[in-house]
Amino acid sequence: QVMHFKKEVEENTQRVMLLQHENERLNIRLEQREERLARIASDAVDARWELLTLRGRLVRQDDSAKSIQELESQVQAAGSERDQLRGMVTALQNDLQTAQDQLEKASKQMDRLRGSIENKLILPFGRSQRKLRQLMYKGRENG
């Protein structure tokens, strides 16, 4: 039984480590998406400024309507891309929250298994019990 419980603890430790790795990967992706969103937002501000500047120039010219429409479509395209990136960031945040929830559940399950192992093992000598608890606590610290 002890070996079986140890195996379960090791498997749960591996699951926790995998979830932590996935959590880190999702955090990195989220940071990358946020950086890209910031660049696009900056580009959109620059495009708006250009639009206003060009609009002022083109108002003085006869064919300004076509140029204004082109610039407005560029601004709309930049806004559309920004909205799409926001959606992607939101999806990544949801994925990250799900991974964190799974990590928390796995950690709680591992703690319950450790407690269960401690309660189920009956050793005849107190010294052996202390040694076993020390080993289990070292396993918690390392895991």
Side-chain angles (χ1 to χ4, degrees):
Q1 276 186 332
V2 171
M3 294 302 287
H4 175 73
F5 287 124
K6 272 185 144 182
K7 185 177 179 181
E8 282 185 35
V9 168
E10 289 173 2
E11 289 173 354
N12 283 328
T13 300
Q14 289 176 352
R15 285 186 197 132
V16 167
M17 289 172 61
L18 286 173
L19 287 172
Q20 287 172 337
H21 178 69
E22 180 66 15
N23 187 19
E24 290 172 8
R25 189 183 67 77
L26 287 173
N27 279 332
I28 290 169
R29 284 183 60 198
L30 180 61
E31 288 174 9
Q32 290 170 344
R33 296 293 168 105
E34 288 174 343
E35 289 172 5
R36 186 172 176 208
L37 180 61
R39 284 192 308 269
I40 289 172
S42 176
D43 290 345
V45 169
D46 291 344
R48 284 183 183 147
W49 178 252
E50 280 185 47
L51 175 66
L52 292 174
T53 303
L54 291 174
R55 223 182 234 176
R57 287 183 196 159
L58 294 174
V59 165
R60 293 179 224 126
Q61 297 177 0
D62 292 335
D63 59 345
S64 64
K66 290 180 184 177
S67 298
I68 289 173
Q69 288 175 349
E70 288 175 13
L71 290 173
E72 285 175 343
S73 68
Q74 289 176 358
V75 168
Q76 287 176 348
S80 175
E81 188 174 342
R82 182 194 65 223
D83 292 341
Q84 183 181 11
L85 286 172
R86 278 189 182 153
M88 293 168 76
V89 167
T90 300
L92 283 173
Q93 287 171 335
N94 291 340
D95 290 348
L96 176 62
Q97 184 62 43
T98 300
Q100 287 172 338
D101 291 345
Q102 289 175 347
L103 179 63
E104 186 178 326
K105 286 179 185 177
S107 179
K108 286 179 182 178
Q109 183 181 10
M110 203 164 79
D111 288 342
R112 283 193 301 269
L113 282 172
R114 282 188 185 121
S116 175
I117 289 171
E118 285 179 8
N119 292 335
K120 290 183 180 180
L121 291 177
I122 300 173
L123 299 175
F125 302 103
R127 181 177 177 196
S128 298
Q129 288 176 338
R130 283 191 302 275
K131 185 149 184 114
L132 179 62
R133 283 191 180 132
Q134 287 173 349
L135 290 172
M136 290 178 71
Y137 288 123
K138 283 183 183 178
R140 279 187 199 167
E141 291 173 2
N142 293 335

